[in-house]
């Protein structure tokens, strides 16, 4: 009996790893155009969420459906973030090469860095929100900002996991086919707790009123 139970647990773990690997590969393939990274992230989050909830490997159908549905909003959200990071990167290149070493450029770098740090966990929440609910983009960002402020510990956790994941992929690019889904599997339970508590509009409005007091 013990061996049977141990064997079952091992198979379940291997099935989990295989699904996470498949989700990550799908994320990588659908992120190749770069502009679709947002939609690919939303789709991967939803696939991971369903996998964690249902306990079985529903890979392609959930991913593809979410990718199609989230494409417009997730793409706009991602491109906003991408443009900010692109400006930061280009400005950094100018500073490193002493092509624009004015005080204004240094100040703008600090400002952009702060913006990127603040908006990174919010973007993750936005992409997760888009994968789970139907709202206009303005409402999505508004609710994500509210939740990020009201639950700072969760926001900080999302930021840390995201930074670690990006750093790992940057140092070892080959891990891009492994890291995305595994990092989202760490973030998913925290965000799902928030979503389950604040999916009702009245609760969000109440939360918003508390923050404005």
């Amino acid at each position: 009996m013990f061996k049977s139970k141990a064997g079952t647990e091992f198979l379940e773990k291997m099935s989990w790893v295989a699904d996470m690997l498949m989700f990550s590969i799908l994320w990588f393939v659908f992120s190749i155009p770069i502009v679709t990274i947002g939609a690919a992230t939303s789709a991967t989050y939803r696939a991971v969420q369903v996998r964690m909830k249902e306990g079985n490997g529903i890979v392609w159908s959930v991913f593809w459906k979410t990718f199609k549905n989230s494409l417009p909003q997730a793409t706009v959200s991602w491109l906003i973030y991408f443009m900010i990071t692109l400006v930061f990167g280009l400005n950094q290149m100018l500073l490193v090469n002493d092509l624009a070493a004015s005080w204004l450029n240094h100040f703008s770098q600090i400002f952009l860095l702060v913006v990127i740090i603040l908006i990174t966990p919010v973007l993750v929440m936005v992409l997760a929100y888009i994968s789970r609910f139907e709202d206009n983009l303005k409402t999505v960002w508004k609710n994500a900002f509210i939740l990020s402020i009201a639950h700072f510990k969760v926001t900080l956790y999302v930021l840390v996991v995201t930074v670690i994941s990006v750093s790992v992929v940057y140092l070892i690019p080959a891990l891009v086919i492994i890291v995305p889904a595994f990092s989202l599997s760490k973030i998913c339970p925290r965000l799902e707790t928030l979503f389950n508590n604040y999916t009702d509009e009245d609760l969000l409005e109440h939360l918003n009123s508390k923050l404005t007091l």
Side-chain angles (χ1 to χ4, degrees):
M1 181 66 69
F2 176 78
K3 290 184 178 180
S4 177
K5 182 179 179 181
T8 300
E9 291 178 350
F10 176 77
L11 290 177
E12 289 177 350
K13 290 180 179 180
M14 289 300 99
S15 176
W16 168 262
V17 171
D19 285 340
M20 292 303 105
L21 181 60
M22 181 60 68
F23 294 149
S24 292
I25 292 174
L26 286 172
W27 180 91
F28 174 72
V29 172
F30 279 78
S31 295
I32 290 175
I34 298 180
V35 295
T36 57
I37 287 178
T41 303
S42 289
T44 303
Y45 178 90
R46 178 59 172 164
V48 169
Q49 186 268 333
V50 170
R51 177 63 173 82
M52 297 179 75
K53 181 180 179 181
E54 301 295 336
N56 52 53
I58 308 174
V59 179
W60 173 249
S61 59
V62 172
F63 184 96
W64 177 240
K65 181 180 179 180
T66 307
F67 181 84
K68 291 189 297 182
N69 293 340
S70 65
L71 186 59
Q73 291 184 334
T75 299
V76 172
S77 300
W78 159 250
L79 287 179
I80 292 172
Y81 180 83
F82 178 72
M83 291 304 297
I84 294 173
T85 56
L86 181 62
V87 172
F88 177 84
L90 292 175
N91 198 37
Q92 185 64 28
M93 288 178 60
L94 293 176
L95 291 173
V96 170
N97 293 285
D98 292 325
L99 298 176
S102 67
W103 68 269
L104 183 60
N105 286 80
H106 286 286
F107 174 79
S108 65
Q109 278 302 85
I110 296 174
F111 175 77
L112 288 173
L113 180 60
V114 172
V115 170
I116 291 172
I117 292 173
L118 292 176
I119 203 175
T120 294
V122 178
L123 176 67
V124 175
M125 290 184 179
V126 164
L127 297 177
Y129 190 108
I130 290 172
S131 76
R132 298 280 279 105
F133 310 106
E134 294 183 7
D135 268 318
N136 62 69
L137 194 56
K138 180 180 179 181
T139 300
V140 171
W141 274 91
K142 174 187 174 184
N143 290 346
F145 270 116
I146 292 172
L147 291 173
S148 67
I149 295 171
H151 298 274
F152 179 74
K153 289 183 179 179
V154 175
T155 304
L156 184 60
Y157 178 83
V158 172
L159 176 62
V160 171
V161 172
T162 303
V163 170
I164 292 175
S165 300
V166 173
S167 300
V168 168
V169 172
Y170 177 79
L171 294 173
I172 311 175
L175 293 181
V176 72
I177 62 170
I178 300 175
V179 170
F182 280 98
S183 61
L184 287 175
S185 72
K186 299 299 181 183
I187 293 172
C188 183
R190 308 291 181 103
L191 294 189
E192 286 303 304
T193 299
L194 299 189
F195 293 156
N196 290 335
N197 288 336
Y198 297 110
T199 52
D200 185 85
E201 184 176 355
D202 292 335
L203 288 175
L204 280 173
E205 290 299 324
H206 176 65
L207 183 58
N208 192 21
S209 65
K210 286 175 64 179
L211 292 174
T212 55
L213 290 178

